[in-house]
């Protein structure tokens, strides 16, 4: 018979098992805590948040004597966050406008090239001209003023979170107290978990029969938001407790509070979440966190419990009640006095207001993004908080979009046959605006409606150029021909690949012969082909290849009439050489990239290369000015364009494409109109594209200096006979005109149509010519 173990033995075994169990539990807790500390350290030592990179427009420069579009100027101020006030502005971001004066308290200007603190200025206008700019703080006149760039895009990650990081040293004490009063008034006393707070929350919730108060500390909220899922399970709550205790052991209270302040979700701006008090202070009150008042701090603290429920943008009464609750809690804890409480309780809830910003300049930004992704990954762009500065001028962009919209609507109204019911089949257009000397892209509208079609007709389309290509034929001829050379307008047939081709003019041109100038001004097809065949098609192809078109070019006679399909952006760039003394710029949309510490990572410098001589560029510009003064674009004067302009209209077969490219010494713009499927628009470049160009230019007077094109060395002027193109014979040629020539290609023969009959006059003229040759020599 076996002996039973004594009770003492049994107790000893149980005690050993209990001790072993406790040891295992403690070991598990230690190991788990070690694992948690490793995870926390790994996460906190790395980049804590994904900060979307910001894309900015270029700065806006203002100076006395500058013409402005005041409507666009005031729209820009609103987009920059300036608030209209009825009193003299005394805070940054305030503006007061009257009929002739705009007073602005400027924001700080922080760009790679300079940092400038905000100050008050007065801009005085005479109609649309800036008469003076004066600093109001010291009365000094300013020769030039820079407005800060606009934020035009954010590269968001998948969470679409927007935040501005702040350090706890930047946070006013009353905001810290407000958040503690609202969320965890014993934050600086407990060790991550507050038993008293939990008991108080349980008692309050039982007494009211509903969830009225939470027991989570600020540390627990941080652990939950930063590391855990929002699922409400016992296991997750246990993880939260352990993690909170571990965080408190590893980090001091101020660092935990700072991380929390930058992490918390505080509302929604469209599809973008507002995270952290830095972003929230700008979103709700239009000011940095350090400038928040007690009233505003209590509003933000009150949002944490339910950001969208208590949002002042959703319901001001709920927000007001929640704010008052927070301030009373602050008073109860002794953090504000009764006097401060009573003074703040009577204040209304006032916000800065906001509008959901839709994608600005979307076609430009798509083009920019393609360039950026060759430099940085999308992960870096959505997380590193880069500042990306561009060449975009938002005033020009808006003017271009409006001009295009109005122009297409006008065409559809004048010809109802152009209307299409399907959005993706509607009449389309595109505009590119740039500075010809720098290559800076100021505006880009790649289509009528980005939400309908993201296809960029400026950078992705290939369209026949029509007569906008003729200048390259005429340029190719300048070594042997002059603007006064006579071309044939007679019907001719050409054998192309075994087939007869006979070019036709777009409209009737009665003259059988025209000078090169008049042939280009009137866009005469027969004369252009006649010139091309005399110059040589291979020579034209070589000339055109120098302008860096990506399209293969073949030597067909129809090339001179614009049968070649090109990318509109490349055509605009080619025309820049005419405006920029023969220099062709590398097109720039990106200027600089700066990291979150202000270090310059990327700087794009202006790059140009010479494609033609300054003299040839001037000759071509002179010829293209005739297009505007007496040719196919002469209607510009009726549209309010009185400053010097050079340009060319273009229309392709069956009116599938309508073009106008026009430029001054300072700005160049290309306009294209057509259907994506090639349907006829039943209009020409002069009637479809030209009015859009004029509308755009009239809206951006700040870019119109009114200066003419300067004649460079290598160009000379002579008086010629308008009929023969030869040197004019005094008192014989009925219509002598002044013409420009390359110095090495000046006519030497007198007019053969109007020879002098008086021998004595011939003798005197011969003496004069010999004398001039001697003097010149």
């Amino acid at each position: 018979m076996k002996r039973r173990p004594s009770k003492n033995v049994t107790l000893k075994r149980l005690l050993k098992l209990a001790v072993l169990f406790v040891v295992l539990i403690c070991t598990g807790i230690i190991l788990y805590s070690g694992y948690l500390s490793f995870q926390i350290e790994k996460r906190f030592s790395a980049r804590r948040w994904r900060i979307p990179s910001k894309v900015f427009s270029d700065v806006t420069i203002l100076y006395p004597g500058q013409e402005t579009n005041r409507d666009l100027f005031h729209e820009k101020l609103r987009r920059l966050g300036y608030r209209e006030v009825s009193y003299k502005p005394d805070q940054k971001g305030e503006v007061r406008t009257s009929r002739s004066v705009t007073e602005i308290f400027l924001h700080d200007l922080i760009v790679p090239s300079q940092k400038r603190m905000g100050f008050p200025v007065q801009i005085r206008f005479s109609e649309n001209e800036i008469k003076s700019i004066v600093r109001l703080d010291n009365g000094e006149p300013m020769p030039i003023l820079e407005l800060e760039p606009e934020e035009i895009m954010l590269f968001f990650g998948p969470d679409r979170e927007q935040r501005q990081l702040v350090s706890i040293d930047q946070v006013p004490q009353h905001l810290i107290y407000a958040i503690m009063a609202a969320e965890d008034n014993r934050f600086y006393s407990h060790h991550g978990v507050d038993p008293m707070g939990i008991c108080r929350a349980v008692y309050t919730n039982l007494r009211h029969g509903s969830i009225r108060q939470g027991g989570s500390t600020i540390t627990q909220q941080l652990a939950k938001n930063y590391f855990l899922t929002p699922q409400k399970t016992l296991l997750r709550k246990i993880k939260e407790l352990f993690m909170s205790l571990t965080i408190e052991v590893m980090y001091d209270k101020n660092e935990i509070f700072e991380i929390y302040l930058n992490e918390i979700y505080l509302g929604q701006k469209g599809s973008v979440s507002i995270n952290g008090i830095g972003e929230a202070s700008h979103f709700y009150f239009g000011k940095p966190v350090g400038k928040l008042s007690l009233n505003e701090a209590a509003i933000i603290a009150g949002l944490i419990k339910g950001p969208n429920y208590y949002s002042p943008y959703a319901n001001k009464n709920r927000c007001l009640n929640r704010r008052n609750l927070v301030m009373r809690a602050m008073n109860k804890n002794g953090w504000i006095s009764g006097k401060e409480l009573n003074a703040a309780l009577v204040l209304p809830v006032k916000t800065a207001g906001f509008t959901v910003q839709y994608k600005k300049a979307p076609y430009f930004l798509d083009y920019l993004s393609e360039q950026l992704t060759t430099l940085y990954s999308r992960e870096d762009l959505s997380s590193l908080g880069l500042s990306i500065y561009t060449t975009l001028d938002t005033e020009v962009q808006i003017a271009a979009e409006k001009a295009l919209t109005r122009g297409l609507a006008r065409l559809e109204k004048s010809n109802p046959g152009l209307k299409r019911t399907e959005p993706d089949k509607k009449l389309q257009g595109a505009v590119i605006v740039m500075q010809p000397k720098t290559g800076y892209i100021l505006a880009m509208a790649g289509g009528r409606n980005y939400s309908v079609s993201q296809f960029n007709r400026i950078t992705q389309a290939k369209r026949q150029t029509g007569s906008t290509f003729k200048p390259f034929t005429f340029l190719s001829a300048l070594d042997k021909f002059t603007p006064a050379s006579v071309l044939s307008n007679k019907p001719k047939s050409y054998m192309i690949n075994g087939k007869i081709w006979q070019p036709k003019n777009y409209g009737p041109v009665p003259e059988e012969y025209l000078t090169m100038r008049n042939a280009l001004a009137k866009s005469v097809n027969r004369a252009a082909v006649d010139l091309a065949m005399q110059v040589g098609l291979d020579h034209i192809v070589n000339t055109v290849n120098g302008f860096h078109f990506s399209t293969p070019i073949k030597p067909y006679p129809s090339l001179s009439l614009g049968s070649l399909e090109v990318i509109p952006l490349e055509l605009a760039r080619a025309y820049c050489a005419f405006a920029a003394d023969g220099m062709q710029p590398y097109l720039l949309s990106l200027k600089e990239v700066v990291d979150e510490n202000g270090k310059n990572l990327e700087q794009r410098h202006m790059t140009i290369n010479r494609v033609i001589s300054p003299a040839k560029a001037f000759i071509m510009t002179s010829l293209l000015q005739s297009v505007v003064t007496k040719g196919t674009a002469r209607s510009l004067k009726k549209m309010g364009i009185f400053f010097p302009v050079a340009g060319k209209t273009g229309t392709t077969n069956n009116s599938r494409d309508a073009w106008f490219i026009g430029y001054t010494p300072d700005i160049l713009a290309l306009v294209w109109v057509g259907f994506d499927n090639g349907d006829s628009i039943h209009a020409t470049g002069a009637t479809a594209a030209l009015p859009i160009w004029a509308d755009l230019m009239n809206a951006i007077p700040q870019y119109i200096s009114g200066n003419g094109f300067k004649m460079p060395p290598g160009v000379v002027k002579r008086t010629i006979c308008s009929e023969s193109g030869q040197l004019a014979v005094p008192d014989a040629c009925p219509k002598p005109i002044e013409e420009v020539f390359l110095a090495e290609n000046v006519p030497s023969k007198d007019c053969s149509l109007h020879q002098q009959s008086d021998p004595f006059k011939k003798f005197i003229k011969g003496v004069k010519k010999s004398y001039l040759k001697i003097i010149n020599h």
Side-chain angles (χ1 to χ4, degrees):
M1 188 172 176
K2 292 183 178 179
R3 294 178 60 188
R4 290 185 178 180
S6 67
K7 290 184 178 180
N8 289 336
V9 174
T10 303
L11 288 173
K12 285 181 180 179
R13 287 179 178 176
L14 290 174
L15 185 60
K16 286 180 179 180
L17 287 172
V19 170
L20 180 61
F21 180 74
V22 170
V23 170
L24 289 173
I25 291 294
C26 291
T27 303
I29 290 173
I30 292 170
L31 291 174
Y32 185 60
S33 298
Y35 167 75
L36 289 179
S37 65
F38 172 76
Q39 293 296 322
I40 293 168
E41 175 66 24
K42 182 181 178 182
R43 180 71 193 275
F44 280 0
S45 62
R47 174 172 288 275
R48 293 175 179 172
W49 296 280
R50 299 171 64 96
I51 308 298
S53 296
K54 294 183 178 181
V55 181
F56 296 94
S57 71
D58 205 353
V59 296
T60 298
I61 296 176
L62 305 172
Y63 55 87
Q66 182 185 40
E67 291 285 333
T68 63
N69 183 323
R70 292 187 68 183
D71 289 337
L72 288 180
F73 173 64
H74 288 121
E75 282 182 32
K76 184 177 188 69
L77 292 179
R78 285 191 289 274
R79 291 193 304 274
L80 286 170
Y82 288 94
R83 306 178 301 279
E84 186 75 35
V85 296
S86 57
Y87 50 85
K88 187 175 182 178
D90 58 8
Q91 297 287 331
K92 292 176 184 178
E94 293 180 342
V95 60
R96 179 172 68 171
T97 58
S98 64
R99 183 177 179 182
S100 59
V101 173
T102 297
E103 295 171 307
I104 312 170
F105 204 120
L106 297 169
H107 291 136
D108 297 340
L109 174 66
I110 302 175
V111 293
S113 58
Q114 64 169 308
K115 291 185 179 180
R116 181 213 69 200
M117 296 299 101
F119 55 84
V121 296
Q122 180 193 76
I123 304 174
R124 187 172 294 277
F125 294 88
S126 175
E127 294 185 349
N128 288 324
E129 182 186 348
I130 297 176
K131 300 303 291 183
S132 65
I133 304 174
V134 178
R135 286 187 65 144
L136 292 176
D137 54 351
N138 58 22
E140 290 184 3
M142 299 186 68
I144 194 167
L145 173 65
E146 285 184 270
L147 288 180
E148 63 272 19
E150 288 182 48
E151 181 185 301
I152 54 177
M153 182 185 174
L154 289 164
F155 279 98
F156 285 112
D159 296 330
R160 295 189 65 79
E161 293 179 353
Q162 187 169 346
R163 56 167 51 85
Q164 294 186 34
L165 301 182
V166 298
S167 75
I168 198 165
D169 297 330
Q170 298 172 277
V171 181
Q173 189 63 48
H174 53 253
L175 178 55
I176 292 174
Y177 285 146
I179 292 173
M180 288 174 63
E183 297 299 316
D184 183 2
N185 64 350
R186 298 185 67 250
F187 172 72
Y188 283 98
S189 303
H190 61 66
H191 299 288
V193 178
D194 186 7
M196 290 178 59
I198 294 171
C199 293
R200 185 172 57 250
V202 170
Y203 170 74
T204 301
N205 296 336
L206 288 173
R207 188 160 60 90
H208 289 91
S210 62
I211 302 297
R212 291 294 186 90
Q213 188 174 333
S216 294
T217 63
I218 282 175
T219 313
Q220 285 177 272
Q221 292 181 46
L222 178 61
K224 178 180 66 176
N225 293 338
Y226 214 86
F227 295 97
L228 303 174
T229 65
Q231 291 177 322
K232 294 183 178 181
T233 63
L234 180 61
L235 181 60
R236 198 222 68 184
K237 195 66 178 178
I238 292 172
K239 287 182 179 178
E240 179 186 303
L241 292 174
F242 276 107
M243 193 163 278
S244 301
L245 293 169
T246 307
I247 289 172
E248 289 273 348
V249 170
M250 296 176 66
Y251 299 94
D252 66 42
K253 286 287 188 179
N254 281 345
E255 189 169 3
I256 294 169
F257 208 120
E258 181 177 288
I259 298 171
Y260 176 78
L261 293 176
N262 286 303
E263 171 62 24
I264 47 177
Y265 170 65
L266 288 167
Q268 202 72 21
K269 183 181 180 182
S271 63
V272 178
S273 68
I274 304 300
N275 287 74
I277 59 170
E279 189 66 37
S281 63
H282 283 279
F283 177 59
Y284 291 108
F285 303 112
K287 60 178 67 173
V289 68
K291 298 290 187 181
L292 291 176
S293 66
L294 169 61
N295 159 54
E296 294 163 342
I299 289 173
I300 287 181
L303 291 172
I304 299 172
K305 183 178 179 181
N308 296 312
Y309 183 77
Y310 292 112
S311 170
Y313 294 128
N315 189 307
K316 284 196 173 183
N317 286 331
R318 280 201 299 262
C319 179
L320 181 71
N321 293 333
R322 178 67 178 160
R323 178 204 70 178
N324 293 347
L325 189 68
V326 171
M327 291 194 297
R328 288 192 178 98
M330 293 174 72
N331 174 250
K332 184 178 178 181
N333 282 280
W335 294 328
I336 60 172
S337 65
K339 184 178 179 181
E340 288 175 309
L341 173 64
N342 293 330
L345 286 174
V346 298
L347 295 175
V349 173
K350 287 186 177 180
T351 58
F354 82 98
T355 54
V356 177
Q357 295 289 349
Y358 296 99
K359 197 173 183 182
K360 300 174 184 175
Y363 293 103
F364 174 88
L365 290 172
D366 282 356
Y367 175 70
L368 173 75
S369 297
E370 287 179 15
Q371 294 181 310
L372 283 172
T373 50
T374 65
L375 302 171
Y376 306 97
S377 69
R378 293 198 175 274
E379 171 67 21
D380 287 346
L381 289 171
S382 65
S383 64
L384 295 183
L386 305 176
S387 293
I388 299 160
Y389 295 91
T390 72
T391 61
L392 183 78
D393 186 317
T394 53
E395 290 183 75
V396 180
Q397 178 68 35
I398 290 170
E401 290 171 356
K402 288 182 176 179
L404 181 61
T405 299
R406 285 193 293 260
L408 297 180
R410 186 168 53 243
L411 284 168
E412 289 173 333
K413 184 178 180 181
S414 64
N415 184 357
L418 297 178
K419 291 184 178 180
R420 302 288 188 274
T421 55
E422 302 92 332
D424 59 338
K425 294 183 180 179
K426 282 192 171 185
L427 180 65
Q428 282 292 347
V431 180
I432 177 76
V433 187
M434 61 183 67
Q435 291 178 324
K437 291 182 173 67
T438 64
Y440 285 3
I441 297 174
L442 303 178
M444 181 185 291
R448 182 174 192 164
N449 188 331
Y450 184 83
S451 63
V452 173
S453 171
Q454 292 79 54
F455 179 69
N456 192 336
R457 292 154 190 85
I458 288 294
T459 64
Q460 295 173 299
K462 287 187 177 181
R463 307 291 302 206
Q464 285 191 336
T465 58
S467 294
T468 60
F469 206 77
K470 284 176 183 171
F472 300 101
T473 298
F474 283 62
L475 169 66
S476 303
L478 287 183
D479 288 326
K480 295 182 179 179
F481 292 77
T482 74
S485 298
V486 176
L487 304 176
S488 172
N489 183 36
K490 292 181 179 180
K492 287 184 181 179
S493 298
Y494 302 90
M495 186 67 69
I496 309 297
N497 292 333
K499 295 182 180 179
I500 295 176
W501 175 67
Q502 188 177 63
K504 295 180 180 179
N505 293 326
Y506 184 83
V509 181
E511 300 96 326
E512 288 190 348
Y513 298 96
L514 302 95
T515 62
M516 257 180 68
R517 178 176 295 278
N518 289 335
L520 187 59
K522 297 179 181 180
S523 202
V524 181
N525 290 343
R526 288 172 179 164
V529 176
D530 177 50
L531 179 63
M533 299 308 288
Q534 292 187 66
V535 170
L537 297 176
D538 289 331
H539 180 57
I540 295 173
V541 169
N542 289 335
T543 299
V544 174
N545 281 332
F547 285 84
H548 306 102
F549 288 97
S550 61
T551 309
I553 303 168
K554 296 182 179 180
Y556 295 135
S558 58
L559 174 67
S560 61
L561 304 183
S563 61
L564 178 70
E565 290 186 344
V566 303
I567 297 170
L569 185 67
E570 295 178 357
L571 183 60
R573 183 190 176 206
Y575 266 70
C576 284
F578 300 146
D581 298 322
M583 304 299 289
Q584 188 179 39
Y586 176 82
L587 298 184
L588 289 176
S589 59
L590 173 67
K591 293 179 76 174
E592 291 177 281
V593 179
V594 177
D595 70 12
E596 56 192 344
N597 298 315
K599 182 182 177 183
N600 202 312
L601 302 179
E602 188 78 23
Q603 188 169 16
R604 291 296 179 92
H605 297 284
M606 182 178 68
T607 305
I608 56 177
N609 64 293
R610 179 165 299 286
V611 290
I612 54 175
S613 68
K616 286 184 177 179
F618 180 82
I619 297 291
M620 289 308 306
T621 291
S622 175
L623 292 174
L624 292 171
Q625 280 185 281
S626 293
V627 175
V628 174
T629 56
K630 62 180 181 179
T632 55
R634 62 187 180 278
S635 59
L636 275 179
K637 285 185 178 178
K638 297 178 182 178
M639 302 174 193
I641 304 298
F642 300 106
F643 48 86
V645 175
K648 187 70 188 78
T649 57
T651 311
T652 59
N653 286 342
N654 199 31
S655 297
R656 293 187 181 94
D657 305 270
W659 301 83
F660 182 69
I661 310 170
Y663 60 90
T664 72
D666 308 304
I667 195 166
L668 179 147
L670 173 150
V671 178
W672 168 86
V673 177
F675 284 103
D676 286 337
N677 65 359
D679 284 352
S680 174
I681 66 169
H682 305 289
T684 65
T687 57
L690 189 69
I692 295 172
W693 190 93
D695 191 4
L696 166 60
M697 290 297 141
N698 284 326
I700 51 172
Q702 66 269 34
Y703 280 97
I704 308 302
S705 65
N707 295 329
F709 298 93
K710 294 181 180 179
M711 189 170 74
V715 177
V716 297
K717 290 184 178 181
R718 293 289 185 267
T719 302
I720 63 165
C721 175
S722 59
E723 295 178 18
S724 67
Q726 297 169 319
L727 292 173
V729 177
D731 303 324
C733 293
K735 295 180 180 179
I737 57 171
E738 194 172 56
E739 186 56 273
V740 291
F741 300 92
L742 295 176
E744 65 273 18
N745 195 16
V746 179
S748 58
K749 293 183 179 180
D750 289 340
C751 175
S752 57
L753 296 179
H754 309 99
Q755 290 285 350
Q756 284 280 3
S757 57
D758 188 334
F760 179 71
K761 288 183 178 180
K762 280 187 179 181
F763 171 74
I764 294 298
K765 189 174 185 306
V767 171
K768 281 184 177 180
K769 185 183 289 187
S770 299
Y771 175 74
L772 287 173
K773 284 184 178 180
I774 293 170
I775 294 298
N776 288 334
H777 180 71

